Amino acid sequence: MSNPARQVNSRRLPPLPGMNKAGNSAKTSHPRSPRSGSYGAYLGQTHDRHVDMMVKGHSPHSNHNGQLKQHLSADYDGHSSPELTLSQDTVTAYLDDNPDYLENYIQSRVSQDQLERWLIRRTHKHHTRHKHGKKSPVNGEIIQDERRESLSRWKFCVHADKRKMLQDLTREIHQHPNKAQVLSELAGCIASAVNADGFNLYLVDDSGQELYHYKPGSSHTKDSSSCTRRIAPGSTLAAYVASAGDTIRVDEILEDERFPEGIVVGGSIAQTVLAQPIVHANGELSGVIELYRNVGGAPFAEEDEEIINSYIVWGSIAVYYAEMYHTMTKQRKLNDFLLAVTRSIFQDIVSMDTVIMKIMNYAKKLVLADRASLFLVDTKTSELYARIFDTGDHYDENSPKPVRSQKEIRFPMDKGVAGHVASTGQILNIQDAYADERFNRDVDLQTGYTTKTILCMPIFIRGSIIGVVQMVNKLSGVFTKSDEESFEMFAVYCGLALHHAKLYDKIRRSEQKYKVALEVLSYHSQCSDEEFESLRNKPVPDELPSLVRYEFSPWAVDNDDKPLYVIYMFRDLFCMARYDMETLYKFTLTIRKNYRTVPYHNWSHAFSVAHAMYTIIKTTKNKFSPLEALGLFVACLCHDLDHRGKTNAFMVKSASPLAAIYSTSTMEHHHFNQTVTILQHEGHNIFKHMSSEEYKQVLGDIRHCILATDLALFFGNKAKLKDMHEKNTFEWDNTEHRKYIQAIAMTGCDLCASIKPWDVQRETVRVIFEEFYAQGDEEKSQGITPMAMMDRSKAYELPQMEVSDCGGHVPCDKPRWCHVHVHLPSLVNIFCLVLECILCCASYM
């Protein structure tokens, strides 16, 4: 078939129906279209006339009401033609039978923009019919091709320029596959397609509560945006559209009261604006595209909305795949990160402290935080504790020793942000720490550090919370939902690492305990049968009146007689009906056997401390219960078992196995464990006739009292007791208050040498410093500078140091000791003796 345009240009118009056939020759008829019948069926044979035709039932201006008057010039013979009135159906039938003519007319007379508008309107009408359940045929034919995808229909109407846009957009997305870049390129294409003078793209932040203006080439984050608005009406057009979820067309943006701020970028010259929300198939809002035309530009029309929707159909697919690519890339990076964590932690589990430092270091890297803290859960006391803190210094993984805090901190599990997470198991993402009532500001005040944002996450193992990791101050912005999801996976590895570190720590401690046990067993042993028989054959005195006096000198008693004095004091204090004498003999002798022959912390010192507690119990008129008194007396007797003549600090510095087992109060914990070990020997358990509850209470009191002899704890106990006294809140019925009294009493008895007569005390000081100087000499041999008190070369400073030491440890002035003697009045004699000794020391200065 020849070109339709060429056919039409080389012939006259076909006759219109309804004309008279007279005077018309068959030779003048035109060729028939394959789909048409005889031209005479329409117009007869009036080909030589100028016809005025009126088509009834159609008007482009009256929406199919009225008539369309059209002049068709045949002008065959120069005569005018009569006016002819035709119906719309007749013209429709003609166009159906002459598609070539219709095609040529549209190609030559109708603009491409008009064609696109027609197709968009047709698509919109079809969508409306289907929306209401209508599928009406057109011209007797069912429109089957309407069921094609909207993207295919839209692609059909796109001219070459728009196809080129999509090609460029696809190429750009391939090079930069992220959601922000895709939407930015998409918005640019849409602006070009609808002839907009400019556009703005707003993206929804990770919280889903705010919009921020995206500028191409920026860091794709809210912090890099110059404009941020909350998703709600009453501010900008974009915020309103994001809140309503509908497309908005505004002809005069400055006159619309719904948007007092108008559009943020370009608002000074923009007049007509079209804003379109970008919504995923799941209903999630991604952003808002804002298109505008400047003053004098044509308003946006319904066709523009259809064009935008067509682009967004494709754009949604592109965004979906861009996000999929981003998710896969992020997951790959997370997998590589977790692999590095696993390799670093599990290949080098040296200690719990090392694992904690590595977890904190990797946690900061994962979510880009400034600081991190790890709190472990103590299920026995329902507390959180930490002994290692991030001070902001660089941590070297190759460093053999992590940075350890000077003091372990503890707090209840229901306190603070970390406590809330440990108690509930919920993740806390706090964007403003000072606005959250659970945040404790005291730490910031003490350190000078400012906490802004917090991400706190529980660490589980076997369904139980074993710790809490707290990240502080994200380096850029706030912690996001993505940070929470990434760290939730990281927390699984943290739990495994901490669990294995604890197991490793238990094994390591067991090995150290085994070494200590071998060392102890090689030196100590139980009392011999000869020692037992010798003590049992000695009669216990009925009365020792001088023993109850504070100034009694235990060092005046022979070492062989001291066990007998212990039996006397035990029998005098407690009802012997519940105790077996042979067991008591063995227990006392084995206690003596387990004291080493060091200058001061030996069996004689233990006897003197037990005697001091005996005098307190005897003279305080049953202030303590029988079980409490028993615990106090036994604790004094055992408080320095297996003492090596060295301080806790020295044990830590010299990397002693004991220091590896006990991180705090090293020797005191060892003394208590030795006590338990002796009680477990056959025939040595003096508490065997007690009930389980009584046994548990006595052991608890012994442990508390022995640990209280650590002078590092004394000052805190003294301050708390003083505070209770000044506030008049002390109550003997309060168990905790009684614990403080017991602790202070233990310290007083441990330092009882200060209350003895001057001649006795002077001899005691001599042996004390003999032990101190021995430690100082050993420290010098290891290249460690000893304390002045332990430095033999500074012995001339001894009187000054003694007075200062007594002033610090012993509450010798009334304002400082009255809070003790008010509750234990008989101790006033002790303080008088202390004052006398201090004056004697001062006389040597």
Side-chain angles (χ1 to χ4, degrees):
M1 183 176 179
S2 61
N3 191 310
R6 185 177 302 169
Q7 290 181 8
V8 174
N9 292 334
S10 63
R11 69 181 181 181
R12 294 180 182 273
L13 290 172
L16 294 173
M19 297 300 294
N20 191 349
K21 298 180 180 180
N24 196 17
S25 173
K27 296 179 181 180
T28 62
S29 63
H30 296 275
R32 295 165 56 184
S33 170
R35 293 179 57 189
S36 66
S38 172
Y39 292 132
Y42 299 100
L43 298 177
Q45 299 177 1
T46 58
H47 297 172
D48 55 356
R49 294 178 179 272
H50 179 78
V51 180
D52 290 336
M53 179 178 70
M54 184 74 72
V55 181
K56 294 182 178 180
H58 177 78
S59 172
H61 304 294
S62 58
N63 199 14
H64 302 286
N65 295 322
Q67 295 179 336
L68 172 65
K69 186 175 183 180
Q70 183 176 8
H71 296 277
L72 300 177
S73 178
D75 200 17
Y76 297 120
D77 52 5
H79 297 286
S80 61
S81 61
E83 183 174 283
L84 179 65
T85 302
L86 297 176
S87 67
Q88 181 180 349
D89 294 337
T90 303
V91 176
T92 302
Y94 175 78
L95 296 178
D96 287 342
D97 289 339
N98 295 273
D100 296 336
Y101 170 75
L102 177 61
E103 181 179 351
N104 182 71
Y105 177 82
I106 290 174
Q107 289 181 357
S108 60
R109 299 294 184 88
V110 181
S111 68
Q112 187 165 340
D113 289 341
Q114 184 63 43
L115 279 174
E116 292 182 7
R117 284 196 291 271
W118 285 353
L119 186 57
I120 290 172
R121 289 176 181 175
R122 182 170 182 264
T123 303
H124 180 69
K125 291 179 180 179
H126 171 72
H127 175 72
T128 303
R129 287 199 304 271
H130 279 276
K131 185 177 180 180
H132 294 85
K134 297 180 180 179
K135 298 182 180 179
S136 59
V138 178
N139 293 331
E141 297 179 5
I142 301 297
I143 307 179
Q144 297 178 354
D145 59 345
E146 292 289 356
R147 297 188 180 93
R148 291 179 298 176
E149 295 294 329
S150 60
L151 183 59
S152 300
R153 296 200 307 272
W154 170 76
K155 184 178 180 181
F156 177 76
C157 75
V158 175
H159 56 70
D161 290 339
K162 292 180 181 177
R163 285 197 297 271
K164 186 175 184 302
M165 290 181 189
L166 291 180
Q167 291 173 359
D168 294 341
L169 178 58
T170 303
R171 189 180 305 109
E172 184 68 23
I173 291 172
H174 180 72
Q175 296 174 357
H176 306 283
N178 63 76
K179 185 174 80 170
Q181 189 72 23
V182 169
L183 293 179
S184 177
E185 295 295 333
L186 180 64
C189 289
I190 293 175
S192 177
V194 300
N195 297 320
D197 292 328
F199 73 91
N200 296 317
L201 175 61
Y202 298 89
L203 300 179
V204 179
D205 68 352
D206 294 324
S207 67
Q209 303 297 320
E210 291 185 333
L211 283 176
Y212 65 94
H213 181 260
Y214 171 75
K215 184 178 180 180
S218 65
S219 62
H220 307 163
T221 62
K222 184 171 69 174
D223 292 338
S224 63
S225 175
S226 59
C227 171
T228 303
R229 292 292 185 275
R230 187 166 183 82
I231 299 178
S235 58
T236 62
L237 171 61
Y240 183 94
V241 170
S243 175
D246 296 326
T247 304
I248 299 293
R249 277 186 288 133
V250 182
D251 294 342
E252 292 289 344
I253 185 62
L254 299 179
E255 297 178 6
D256 200 316
E257 298 179 355
R258 293 176 296 174
F259 329 116
E261 297 182 33
I263 64 174
V264 177
V265 181
S268 60
I269 57 176
Q271 181 178 8
T272 176
V273 185
L274 191 156
Q276 170 80 27
I278 306 172
V279 183
H280 288 303
N282 59 3
E284 181 182 357
L285 179 69
S286 291
V288 174
I289 296 178
E290 205 174 61
L291 305 164
Y292 61 88
R293 291 173 181 161
N294 295 334
V295 175
F300 289 100
E302 181 180 354
E303 291 81 4
D304 297 320
E305 291 187 31
E306 292 295 336
I307 292 174
I308 294 175
N309 289 330
S310 301
Y311 270 94
I312 289 180
V313 169
W314 180 91
S316 298
I317 299 174
V319 169
Y320 172 79
Y321 283 105
E323 288 186 330
M324 181 183 295
Y325 177 86
H326 176 71
T327 301
M328 294 176 63
T329 302
K330 182 180 178 181
Q331 186 63 44
R332 186 184 71 249
K333 291 181 179 178
L334 179 60
N335 291 340
D336 293 340
F337 177 84
L338 294 176
L339 181 61
V341 171
T342 304
R343 185 183 298 113
S344 174
I345 293 179
F346 288 93
Q347 287 184 355
D348 189 24
I349 302 182
V350 178
S351 66
M352 177 66 77
D353 293 343
T354 303
V355 172
I356 291 174
M357 284 299 298
K358 287 185 176 182
I359 288 176
M360 291 164 55
N361 187 44
Y362 278 110
K364 291 195 299 181
K365 291 181 180 179
L366 178 63
V367 298
L368 300 178
D370 183 46
R371 302 250 179 122
S373 299
L374 175 59
F375 300 95
L376 299 177
V377 176
D378 188 341
T379 55
K380 294 181 179 180
T381 61
S382 297
E383 292 179 322
L384 289 176
Y385 68 96
R387 59 177 179 266
I388 296 178
F389 300 92
D390 182 10
T391 59
D393 298 331
H394 174 71
Y395 170 69
D396 184 8
E397 273 193 31
N398 299 321
S399 176
K401 293 184 180 180
V403 179
R404 179 187 288 270
S405 67
Q406 296 298 321
K407 182 180 180 182
E408 179 183 274
I409 68 165
R410 286 179 172 265
F411 54 92
M413 284 181 60
D414 58 349
K415 299 295 184 182
V417 174
H420 177 83
V421 172
S423 301
T424 63
Q426 298 176 351
I427 301 172
L428 276 186
N429 188 346
I430 301 175
Q431 298 184 4
D432 186 355
Y434 281 82
D436 195 300
E437 61 182 7
R438 292 165 295 197
F439 175 67
N440 183 9
R441 305 184 183 185
D442 294 338
V443 178
D444 279 8
L445 295 176
Q446 294 175 7
T447 62
Y449 186 77
T450 301
T451 302
K452 299 177 182 178
T453 57
I454 297 175
L455 177 60
C456 200
M457 183 83 61
I459 298 178
F460 291 88
I461 191 69
R462 296 179 180 176
S464 300
I465 298 176
I466 62 171
V468 172
V469 177
Q470 182 171 283
M471 277 73 67
V472 177
N473 288 358
K474 188 174 178 67
L475 297 179
S476 176
V478 298
F479 295 106
T480 63
K481 184 67 176 178
S482 178
D483 292 333
E484 297 178 23
E485 294 171 353
S486 299
F487 196 83
E488 194 168 6
M489 183 177 293
F490 173 70
V492 175
Y493 291 83
C494 293
L496 292 173
L498 290 174
H499 179 66
H500 283 83
K502 282 187 175 181
L503 292 178
Y504 177 85
D505 199 54
K506 286 182 179 179
I507 295 173
R508 187 177 60 86
R509 286 172 178 267
S510 297
E511 291 177 349
Q512 298 294 341
K513 285 183 178 180
Y514 175 71
K515 292 180 181 179
V516 172
L518 289 178
E519 181 186 354
V520 171
L521 290 176
S522 65
Y523 184 86
H524 300 300
S525 64
Q526 301 179 26
C527 65
S528 64
D529 293 338
E530 292 76 9
E531 292 174 327
F532 171 70
E533 291 297 333
S534 175
L535 180 61
R536 187 172 62 172
N537 292 330
K538 290 182 179 180
V540 179
D542 293 330
E543 291 185 4
L544 291 172
S546 61
L547 200 62
V548 78
R549 296 177 57 85
Y550 288 110
E551 59 270 22
F552 175 82
S553 176
W555 293 274
V557 180
D558 187 83
N559 274 340
D560 291 336
D561 292 333
K562 285 184 174 67
L564 194 63
Y565 276 64
V566 171
I567 300 299
Y568 170 83
M569 290 186 287
F570 195 95
R571 189 182 65 179
D572 189 31
L573 291 174
F574 312 110
C575 176
M576 295 305 297
R578 303 188 62 186
Y579 303 100
D580 179 71
M581 289 299 297
E582 291 189 358
T583 302
L584 185 58
Y585 287 148
K586 291 182 179 180
F587 177 79
T588 305
L589 290 172
T590 302
I591 291 293
R592 182 182 68 173
K593 187 70 175 179
N594 279 266
Y595 274 95
R596 298 197 181 194
T597 55
V598 293
Y600 176 70
H601 290 93
N602 49 34
W603 165 244
S604 296
H605 170 66
F607 177 72
S608 68
V609 175
H611 166 260
M613 184 57 68
Y614 165 77
T615 59
I616 291 176
I617 297 174
K618 286 288 289 183
T619 57
T620 51
K621 299 181 180 179
N622 299 323
K623 288 288 185 180
F624 298 108
S625 68
L627 287 180
E628 288 175 339
L630 177 63
L632 285 166
F633 183 76
V634 174
C636 287
L637 200 63
C638 304
H639 80 284
D640 273 336
L641 277 172
D642 194 43
H643 200 292
R644 285 88 188 281
K646 304 294 188 296
T647 63
N648 286 335
F650 178 85
M651 304 301 287
V652 174
K653 291 178 183 178
S654 61
S656 166
L658 282 176
I661 298 174
Y662 313 109
S663 58
T664 60
S665 302
T666 301
M667 293 306 301
E668 286 72 24
H669 277 99
H670 178 59
H671 303 326
F672 171 71
N673 284 340
Q674 285 300 109
T675 303
V676 174
T677 300
I678 292 174
L679 287 170
Q680 291 174 344
H681 288 332
E682 183 178 357
H684 288 71
N685 190 359
I686 60 176
F687 308 132
K688 62 183 178 181
H689 296 299
M690 291 183 176
S691 65
S692 59
E693 289 297 323
E694 291 174 329
Y695 188 83
K696 182 178 179 181
Q697 179 183 342
V698 169
L699 280 186
D701 288 341
I702 293 174
R703 182 180 185 276
H704 167 71
C705 292
I706 291 179
L707 294 183
T709 59
D710 184 357
L711 286 179
L713 304 178
F714 165 73
F715 300 101
N717 292 332
K718 184 183 70 172
K720 291 176 182 177
L721 187 60
K722 180 181 179 182
D723 183 66
M724 284 187 287
H725 169 72
E726 292 176 348
K727 294 180 180 179
N728 198 25
T729 58
F730 180 86
E731 297 179 358
W732 270 105
D733 295 334
N734 188 311
T735 303
E736 184 179 0
H737 294 183
R738 296 167 71 88
K739 292 287 186 183
Y740 286 126
I741 289 291
Q742 293 173 17
I744 293 296
M746 286 296 299
T747 303
C749 293
D750 195 18
L751 302 177
C752 66
S754 299
I755 68 169
K756 302 304 178 182
W758 171 246
D759 293 338
V760 175
Q761 183 186 164
R762 186 172 56 183
E763 180 61 21
T764 305
V765 170
R766 185 187 63 78
V767 295
I768 289 176
F769 276 88
E770 182 181 343
E771 187 172 289
F772 282 177
Y773 291 152
Q775 176 177 321
D777 294 341
E778 190 167 345
E779 287 178 330
K780 287 181 179 180
S781 66
Q782 298 179 9
I784 302 174
T785 302
M787 298 172 53
M789 185 175 291
M790 298 182 182
D791 192 343
R792 196 182 300 273
S793 62
K794 296 182 180 181
Y796 62 89
E797 298 179 4
L798 177 58
Q800 177 67 40
M801 289 186 289
E802 276 293 290
V803 173
S804 300
D805 189 56
C806 287
H809 292 152
V810 182
C812 55
D813 58 312
K814 184 175 181 181
R816 297 175 62 186
W817 61 259
C818 62
H819 56 275
V820 178
H821 89 82
V822 164
H823 306 293
L824 297 175
S826 61
L827 297 186
V828 67
N829 295 328
I830 294 179
F831 300 120
C832 292
L833 292 171
V834 170
L835 287 174
E836 179 184 349
C837 294
I838 292 176
L839 292 175
C840 292
C841 287
S843 65
Y844 285 85
M845 295 172 57

